Amino acid sequence: MTDTPPAPRPAPTSLRPVLVIALDGATFDVIEPMVAAGELPNLARFLAAGRGERLPSTVPPVTFPAWSSFMTGLEPAEHGIFDFTQKVEGAYRLRFVNATDRRAPSIFRRVSDAGGRVLVLGLPATHPPEPVNGLLVCGFDAPVSTGTDERSASDPLLYRSIARKAGPWMRPELDESARANDFHERAVSTLLARIDRKRDFALEAMDQLRARNGGAMPALTMVVFSESDTAGHHYFRDHDPGCPRHDSTASPERQDALAEVYRRLDGACAALRDAAGPETTCVVLSDHGMGAASDKVLHLNRFLAEQGLLYRRAGLGRFVDRFARGLRDLALASLPPRVAQLLFRRARAAAAELESRARFGGFDWSRTVAFSEEANTHPGIWINLAGREAEGCVAPADYDAVRQRVIDALLAWRLPDGQPALARALPREAVHAGPHLERIPDIVIELALDGGYGLSLVPTPWSEGGPQGEGIPSVRVLPPEDYAGGRGRGMNGTHRFDGIWIEADSSTADRRPPARLASVAPWLAETMGLAWDADAAPRSEGGAEAAPVDYDADEEAMVAERLRALGYLE
């Protein structure tokens, strides 16, 4: 077999350059008061010269579906990505999602196909990196353990050239699951150093791409800073004195941590904007917002058990999930990261298998009519439908009635003060439209706000209760020692639906800003002068739609551990 030479690229076009600065999880609830206080002079300058609007996210408002909608101009049911994991059709099993699950071309591919150059740094949901005309460096989903390397880049040689001068794009040196007692005291300086390192890498990358392009900026440059998201998850309770989890004895460093991260990002935005030059249109955006958390967490499967909708196995079978979760947590708590990672690689065929057993093990499928993955990132309920699920017990003729029964029970779920636990519970087709509905739980739920503060969905700790979870409350009020958050306690900052949109100058003042995150890619294309075909063909190879490519066992283990370190997996 001989290698096929790459197809020739079209002649470069005169696309107008655009710089996108992404502040993951950033919110105007932090920015606006800081701008008013004079603490964010550069974002204040952008807002004065241009404009700012709230930018509605996706359902769910979570990293992978949100950034996939940003880059495709499609909603999740249209591009096919809803979370970091995906339930395997017909099985009580999960697989880890990557960019090959995205069934639509990205704006980076479209710009490259038009002959324009791109520079994309740190965008999640982009591994494995697609070939582009320029450089794409994947985000935290890249399966690396010691830092971003050339395997995470579309052009390994160019990446190495930049990294020799600026260091690697990312080092996962921060365990963001906050298991250590002194995590919040130590993490601030690490986050600030990461912002500086990413800023310097981006500036070096811009210089090198310009040198290759006669001094011209790439048609599309995108730099993603995840530190605003991390700081929001871990320091919002210290930032918001009204938060039920607020600690009035917190150190000055903790109380100022979130604001200090935003200040450092403000400086990074100015450095990138100035380097891009006045001829480049600049926007600053986020994929979702952030706010402080309630002092309550929800155990959804325990609630289903209370309602007689979910049952645990009798005998030793009910301990399957406890064993899987216990083995995983023991490794995470007691072993060095490299050793724990090796254990996940060698002790299980795949990390997803261990995660699947932790979530679904111990259920009596012959009597369970509804169940949840209990994923805070994508809350939902599956009906245990016969003919679709491996051990389904709900007859297809009863599906609609059973689903409505579950919805009615969910809407009657109450917090201790009598307020609803859920803002809504709807059939999936009432929320989503597109060719990938089968990837979505049968019932889509949205957690309520508890007095304006976010509730968190965490896995039911079955080992703490009786055979069917007796003694475990479906709504758990956290004790003060758990307010900081972490595994089993939810994070002390939770996602909100509205992100940010800031145009840094008046060059696009004659156009309406994007109405939602999925409208951003067409807006950027119009700004560049790139035709946008809303009905572009799905990602394909050889003329046919390409099937998703799973991580191998080693990659899966690294990605799973990274998601746990970020607090996205329990």
Side-chain angles (χ1 to χ4, degrees), residues 66-126:
W67 285 128
S68 298
S69 288
F70 159 83
M71 69 180 90
T72 61
L74 301 173
E75 297 292 349
E78 297 171 310
H79 59 64
I81 292 181
F82 298 90
D83 197 4
F84 303 108
T85 59
Q86 175 67 53
K87 181 181 172 296
V88 176
E89 186 175 1
Y92 307 113
R93 186 163 57 86
L94 301 171
R95 55 181 292 274
F96 287 98
V97 169
N98 61 46
T100 66
D101 290 274
R102 190 180 72 240
R103 315 316 296 156
S106 71
I107 188 172
F108 317 119
R109 173 82 269 142
R110 293 176 186 248
V111 172
S112 297
D113 288 346
R117 285 182 170 83
V118 301
L119 171 63
V120 186
L121 300 176
L123 183 63
T126 56

Side-chain angles (χ1 to χ4, degrees), residues 142-226:
V144 295
S145 58
T146 58
T148 308
D149 60 25
E150 63 269 16
R151 293 170 296 176
S152 307
S154 62
D155 186 336
L157 289 177
L158 178 55
Y159 178 87
R160 284 202 296 269
S161 175
I162 298 166
R164 274 196 296 268
K165 293 189 174 182
W169 166 255
M170 181 189 74
R171 292 189 184 97
E173 70 272 72
L174 190 66
D175 182 355
E176 293 158 22
S177 59
R179 290 192 301 269
N181 291 334
D182 62 345
F183 168 87
H184 292 95
E185 306 299 336
R186 294 184 294 103
V188 184
S189 60
T190 303
L191 291 173
L192 299 178
R194 279 196 340 198
I195 294 169
D196 292 345
R197 184 168 63 246
K198 290 179 178 180
R199 175 203 62 205
D200 293 344
F201 188 101
L203 292 172
E204 179 63 28
M206 290 164 65
D207 284 346
Q208 293 203 25
L209 277 172
R210 272 181 148 164
R212 293 181 171 207
N213 195 32
M217 276 287 289
L220 178 56
T221 300
M222 181 172 187
V223 183
V224 183
F225 292 96
S226 59

Side-chain angles (χ1 to χ4, degrees), residues 328 332 340-346 348 354 557 561 564:
R328 186 196 65 197
L332 290 172
Q341 182 174 289
L342 182 64
L343 175 65
F344 286 124
R345 291 194 231 174
R346 303 301 182 219
R348 288 285 180 270
L354 188 61
E561 174 57 11
R564 288 188 191 98

